[in-house]
Amino acid sequence: FVGHVRKISQPLVLQNGLSYQRKTYKKVLLVGSGGLSIGQAGEFDYSGSQCIKALKEEGIEVILINPNIATVQTSTEKDDASPSADKVYFLPIRPQVVMDIIEKEKPDGIIVSMGGQTALNVGVELWNKGLLQKAGVEVLGTQIPAIEATEDREIFSQKLQEIG
């Protein structure tokens, strides 16, 4: 990508598909959209519900934390076209609450990038304290360093300078 931006030609490298090992996950914790107001942050509810659908299509058990009962993510009126999470915790999205759920459910991974600012803040805090790593929970989707780089103007500016 950087070479393309700088207009430096890059060789095309084909990977051997047989040597690629796909990591499998059995259970994932999705940190949901939290409290929504009418006309605000609906995109996080939508992206989270689509995330649930994709995970379910892969046969992954989905645990959702979302304190808002009035969201598409937490709706129990689902069908095959729009499956619901296997378990829903209607609890506040706070670091200790998320860790309590992780202790109880023991997920393989956590997704914080589908829930908006609250989910991002909790994910960054748990990662920086080493709690997710200690629990053996892998961050799936957008990685914490990328989240931090986009949230910090100085780091973001440095990243832009790096690519020209």
Side-chain angles (χ1 to χ4, degrees):
F1 173 77
V2 174
H4 179 73
V5 170
R6 292 181 178 161
K7 300 188 188 303
I8 300 170
S9 67
Q10 302 287 312
L12 178 63
V13 179
L14 299 176
Q15 300 293 323
N16 179 353
L18 299 175
S19 67
Y20 176 75
Q21 289 214 328
R22 182 177 178 186
K23 193 164 184 183
T24 57
Y25 300 91
K26 293 180 181 165
K27 188 187 289 190
V28 171
L29 174 62
L30 174 64
V31 184
S33 56
L36 301 175
S37 299
I38 293 174
Q40 293 181 350
E43 66 275 15
F44 299 119
D45 185 33
Y46 179 77
S47 64
S49 62
Q50 292 302 302
C51 180
I52 292 169
K53 181 179 177 182
L55 291 168
K56 297 300 294 174
E57 285 174 1
E58 292 296 320
I60 298 170
E61 183 180 351
V62 180
I63 310 302
L64 172 67
I65 176 173
N66 189 334
N68 190 344
I69 61 169
T71 65
V72 175
Q73 289 178 15
T74 57
S75 174
T76 57
E77 296 179 19
K78 300 287 185 165
D79 53 30
D80 290 339
S82 185
S84 61
D86 296 285
K87 286 187 184 175
V88 179
Y89 288 89
F90 293 105
L91 296 170
I93 298 173
R94 295 191 186 126
Q96 187 54 55
V97 174
V98 171
M99 286 310 299
D100 289 345
I101 293 170
I102 287 172
E103 276 184 35
K104 180 178 180 183
E105 296 292 340
K106 306 208 180 324
D108 305 312
I110 185 170
I111 299 175
V112 299
S113 55
M114 299 288 162
Q117 196 62 52
T118 302
L120 293 174
N121 292 345
V122 167
V124 168
E125 182 175 333
L126 294 175
W127 178 263
N128 287 337
K129 288 182 176 178
L131 297 173
L132 295 176
Q133 301 90 317
K134 184 177 179 185
V137 177
E138 187 176 336
V139 176
L140 306 177
T142 307
Q143 297 298 295
I144 300 300
I147 293 168
E148 290 175 320
T150 58
E151 301 236 331
D152 184 303
R153 289 176 187 240
E154 189 174 313
I155 295 172
F156 188 71
S157 179
Q158 289 172 354
K159 297 293 180 190
L160 288 176
Q161 298 237 340
E162 285 175 18
I163 63 172

